[in-house]
Amino acid sequence: MFHASEVFAFARAIEQKGQAFYQAMAASARDDRARKLFQRLALEEGQHILDFEQLASKATPYDPPESYPGEYEAYMQALVDSNVFPKDLHPETLARQITNDEEALNFAIQFEKDALLFFSGLKNLVSVTETAMIDELLRQERRHLCDLHSALQNK
């Protein structure tokens, strides 16, 4: 069974990739409103990293068994890379490939939806006493999705 502390390790890795993505999108945005939104989301992703670290400090500690040092960290990274933001997808390269702000918003929406699905699935793997922490993580991600959707509707 996963523990909330593990989920927050996933969350921090996902948020770090999200922050880099939003920074790259802000740098290449054509519309000032989109640029400001991506800048704000990048800052919020950074705050989420700090929030998740604080939430993780309250979570049940977990010291996974490993066959070699770093095995579990590599496993966690592989899950993040394959489920939400692929490892081979570099934010700066992606920013150059995206041709307009609408495409960037759509990609960001998909990123947030994937993160929500991933965290919702992980919520089922933690103990009942740890789900409130996961609910807070989900609440913050839902807000990002709503902000992006609203920006897309106003294009």
Side-chain angles (χ1 to χ4, degrees), residues 85-143:
F85 210 113
K87 186 175 186 171
D88 60 346
L89 189 60
H90 299 284
E92 296 80 13
T93 303
L94 180 62
R96 287 190 300 272
Q97 293 172 350
I98 290 178
T99 59
N100 59 56
D101 292 337
E102 185 175 329
E103 188 178 349
L105 289 166
N106 278 314
F107 188 90
I109 286 169
Q110 190 60 52
F111 166 70
E112 295 292 344
K113 286 167 57 175
D114 288 348
L116 279 164
L117 287 171
F118 185 69
F119 295 140
S120 292
L122 287 176
K123 182 179 172 182
N124 296 326
L125 300 174
V126 299
S127 71
V128 174
T129 59
E130 295 173 324
T131 58
M133 287 182 250
I134 308 304
D135 286 335
E136 175 60 19
L137 184 159
L138 290 167
R139 185 193 65 74
Q140 292 180 25
E141 295 302 321
R142 279 192 302 269
R143 195 183 80 236

Side-chain angles (χ1 to χ4, degrees), residues 3-40:
H3 292 272
S5 59
E6 295 174 81
V7 176
F8 290 114
F10 284 118
R12 285 190 304 272
I14 290 168
E15 296 299 310
Q16 287 166 344
K17 286 191 173 207
Q19 183 179 37
F21 168 73
Y22 288 130
Q23 288 169 338
M25 293 296 98
S28 66
R30 288 140 184 95
D31 177 72
D32 194 47
R33 289 180 300 183
R35 180 179 296 102
K36 287 179 182 177
L37 174 60
F38 288 135
Q39 288 170 337
R40 181 175 58 82

Side-chain angles (χ1 to χ4, degrees), residues 66-99:
E66 296 182 318
S67 302
Y68 58 88
E71 175 187 25
Y72 196 73
E73 182 179 340
Y75 164 73
M76 297 283 280
Q77 190 63 55
L79 283 177
V80 170
D81 289 344
S82 65
N83 285 292
V84 178
F85 210 113
K87 186 175 186 171
D88 60 346
L89 189 60
H90 299 284
E92 296 80 13
T93 303
L94 180 62
R96 287 190 300 272
Q97 293 172 350
I98 290 178
T99 59

